[in-house]
Amino acid sequence: MKITFVGSGHGVPAPDRYCSSAMIEAGGSIYFIDAGAPIMDELLRMGKNINDVRTIFITHAHSDHTIGMLSVASLLNWYYKQACIDFYLPEPELIDACAHWISANHDGDIKEERVKLHTYDKNFVYDDDNIHLEVFPTRHLERIEKPAYGFVVTDKESGKRIVFSGDLSHQLSLEDFPAIAMSEDVDALVCEMAHFKPEHVTPYLEKCTAKAVYFNHVFPLSKLDDIRAMNGTYPFSVYVVCDRDVIEF
């Protein structure tokens, strides 16, 4: 399994960072966690085939995690007629918005055999021949009573387990650091660092069971040096990721 950080930034523009999106390659197929980056453009620039993309999983309904999926859906609808992608979205409103976007741009009605839009909840499990994905809720949007999620992805070939935190509560005040990364063996934790400071996450890292922690979705970028300084403090490696960084398992 290989993970490429197509976008490692936050919703506020940065000159060298797209918004959040992680591309997983496993068993010859491609999966995305979030689509804040222009993932269609980046697929082409990396020499990837749109026909290899199976699914796009969206953690929550903020535009810095969703905006790139609209161009993918539109292009599938009218141009890439051999491709077929499942979009897993946390709210029905995102399905409606995607349909309206395609219609408003004169791309016709949604071709449901290619653009497959689904909602999911905390009980959702995705399983195919390459990966197994489970969901856990976060409290990022609790104050407005909207859902937000993180994911646990297992590569079936290697057995490696990767936790994607999704976006968490501000200052981690609602104590929603991924519990699985403190209670079970996981090979890596990919954790956001936009809604809290490094000192807020320290008590959780002291209990973390991951073999490595990768911080992405960083804002402001002044946190980068503080994150890098964490490496060597814990019994696991700590990294900060940038666009196009790759992890291989």
Side-chain angles (χ1 to χ4, degrees):
M1 178 168 63
K2 181 165 76 170
I3 300 171
T4 302
F5 292 93
V6 180
S8 60
H10 179 259
V12 176
D16 57 352
R17 291 172 184 264
Y18 287 128
C19 294
S20 288
S21 185
M23 182 178 73
I24 299 171
E25 295 174 86
S29 294
I30 295 173
Y31 310 82
F32 282 95
I33 305 294
D34 283 329
I39 59 177
M40 189 71 249
D41 307 70
E42 287 299 290
L43 278 170
L44 296 174
R45 289 168 183 158
M46 290 186 285
K48 306 297 181 183
N49 192 330
I50 184 63
N51 296 335
D52 293 333
V53 179
R54 284 199 183 183
T55 60
I56 297 175
F57 302 97
I58 300 297
T59 59
H60 65 285
H62 273 163
S63 61
D64 57 328
H65 297 259
T66 63
I67 195 70
M69 79 174 199
L70 293 173
S71 61
V72 176
S74 293
L75 284 163
L76 255 64
N77 208 60
W78 73 272
Y79 185 75
Y80 290 107
K81 294 181 170 59
Q82 304 304 312
C84 169
I85 298 177
D86 286 289
F87 297 77
Y88 288 96
L89 311 174
E91 297 187 49
E93 289 84 353
L94 287 175
I95 292 181
D96 296 338
C98 191
H100 288 310
W101 174 268
I102 288 174
S103 176
N105 283 277
H106 308 290
D107 291 334
D109 296 331
I110 286 187
K111 306 300 188 293
E112 295 182 356
E113 71 278 10
R114 299 198 294 272
V115 183
K116 299 184 175 182
L117 302 172
H118 317 273
T119 55
Y120 72 92
D121 61 19
K122 63 182 180 181
N123 299 312
F124 172 71
V125 174
Y126 176 88
D127 192 85
D128 67 12
D129 47 340
N130 300 316
I131 68 168
H132 179 86
L133 178 144
E134 297 178 6
V135 173
F136 59 89
T138 80
R139 304 177 74 179
H140 178 59
L141 299 178
E142 185 173 280
R143 68 177 178 81
I144 58 172
E145 299 182 347
K146 293 285 188 177
Y149 300 101
F151 302 125
V152 182
V153 179
T154 303
D155 176 41
K156 289 192 172 180
E157 181 178 1
S158 66
K160 301 293 186 180
R161 301 173 78 201
I162 315 301
V163 177
F164 292 85
S165 73
D167 279 10
L168 304 172
S169 57
H170 289 264
Q171 286 77 54
L172 288 174
S173 60
L174 300 179
E175 300 181 352
D176 54 340
F177 186 86
I180 189 172
M182 297 185 291
S183 60
E184 300 183 26
D185 289 335
V186 295
D187 294 281
L189 167 65
V190 178
C191 188
E192 69 119 325
M193 181 65 92
H195 299 96
F196 47 86
K197 298 177 181 179
E199 56 263 34
H200 294 137
V201 78
T202 297
Y204 300 97
L205 294 180
E206 291 172 350
K207 304 174 186 176
C208 186
T209 55
K211 295 181 175 66
V213 175
Y214 299 84
F215 284 105
N216 74 331
H217 196 49
V218 176
F219 182 81
L221 296 181
S222 57
K223 293 177 182 176
L224 293 178
D225 288 341
D226 290 335
I227 296 170
R228 294 187 182 104
M230 291 179 174
N231 196 35
T233 304
Y234 305 101
F236 48 81
S237 297
V238 176
Y239 304 95
V240 59
V241 298
C242 301
D243 286 13
R244 294 289 185 96
D245 280 358
V246 173
I247 312 170
E248 294 196 59
F249 297 94

